[in-house]
Amino acid sequence: MKECPTCSRVYADESLRFCLDDGTSLVAAVSPGAQETLRINPPRTTRAKPTDVLPGSRLAPLDQKHSLIPWLVAGAALFLVAVMGIVITIVIFANRQPTSPNSNGSNAGRNANITATPSAGQAVDLTGTKWTQLSTTSQIKEFNFLANGTINNDPGDTWKQNGNNLTMSITNGYAIYECTIYGDRIDYKAHNKVNLDWTGTLWRVRPSSTP
């Protein structure tokens, strides 16, 4: 019999030269007559080496996965806030109602100082009609449009009508009036040869009815 001097394991096979546990050279075992009790040590167990996890592998530590959760929650919260803001904006614009001047009294008072531009209706023949203005720029206060194409029967003051458009030449072309006719009202833009520009309005003078 042979014995391992390191672990004291006894082998009955005389052909063995080295211990099967630790590889130590075997020696002759102690005689069976000795009082010392032979001890057979249990085989040594080897502890498995922990597996190393490489970066980027699927077996990543749980700490890295848990660290992503706050970022995902924050991103979802920001997305919900943005969606709610868009919805609120759409609801506000959808609930706005267009206001008209005649919808209520407050709108009427608010728009009292706003003068709407009238639209030119059916053309009015100016022949034989009389008009007046309050402008202090023009020297002519009354305009009598005669059939011979003159104004106030002055050959130096002439007029031409084309539908609702009226052109007047005053003092042999010294001043030119470009006009638009709106029923009993004529709005004009005028300029003269000294580069003076002005605007004004003519109002129709209707003859008073006799009793």
Side-chain angles (χ1 to χ4, degrees), residues 108-178:
R110 190 182 310 162
N111 298 328
N113 296 327
I114 301 177
T115 303
T117 301
S119 58
Q122 185 177 0
V124 178
D125 186 7
L126 297 180
T127 303
T129 61
K130 181 179 180 181
W131 301 71
T132 185
Q133 69 170 334
L134 301 177
S135 173
T136 59
T137 304
S138 176
Q139 295 180 355
I140 301 178
K141 304 302 180 185
E142 292 186 353
F143 295 78
N144 293 284
F145 297 99
L146 303 181
N148 60 3
T150 64
I151 301 173
N152 299 333
N153 205 23
D154 187 340
D157 300 334
T158 58
W159 65 280
K160 291 182 181 180
Q161 181 180 0
N162 182 14
N164 288 315
N165 296 322
L166 169 66
T167 301
M168 296 186 294
S169 175
I170 307 301
T171 314
N172 296 317
Y174 179 81
I176 301 297
Y177 289 67
E178 300 293 341

Side-chain angles (χ1 to χ4, degrees), residues 59-74:
L59 300 176
L62 295 178
D63 293 340
Q64 295 182 2
K65 293 183 179 180
H66 289 304
S67 63
L68 295 177
I69 295 178
W71 292 101
L72 294 177
V73 173

Side-chain angles (χ1 to χ4, degrees), residues 3-140:
E3 180 182 15
C4 176
T6 300
C7 63
S8 301
R9 183 174 181 178
V10 177
Y11 296 91
D13 189 355
E14 294 290 340
S15 62
L16 292 176
R17 299 175 57 190
F18 302 98
C19 179
L20 298 180
D21 290 337
D22 52 24
T24 306
S25 298
L26 300 177
V27 297
V30 179
S31 174
Q35 295 180 357
E36 184 178 358
T37 304
L38 296 177
R39 294 181 295 115
I40 300 176
N41 295 331
R44 292 191 300 176
T45 58
T46 57
R47 184 177 298 175
K49 183 179 180 181
T51 303
D52 294 332
V53 179
L54 298 177
S57 67
R58 295 183 179 179
L59 300 176
L62 295 178
D63 293 340
Q64 295 182 2
K65 293 183 179 180
H66 289 304
S67 63
L68 295 177
I69 295 178
W71 292 101
L72 294 177
V73 173
L78 291 176
F79 177 78
L80 291 177
V81 171
V83 171
M84 292 179 62
I86 294 174
V87 172
I88 293 174
T89 302
I90 294 175
V91 171
I92 291 175
F93 279 99
N95 291 334
R96 284 188 176 182
Q97 298 293 335
T99 57
S100 59
N102 296 326
S103 60
N104 51 53
S106 60
N107 286 336
R110 190 182 310 162
N111 298 328
N113 296 327
I114 301 177
T115 303
T117 301
S119 58
Q122 185 177 0
V124 178
D125 186 7
L126 297 180
T127 303
T129 61
K130 181 179 180 181
W131 301 71
T132 185
Q133 69 170 334
L134 301 177
S135 173
T136 59
T137 304
S138 176
Q139 295 180 355
I140 301 178

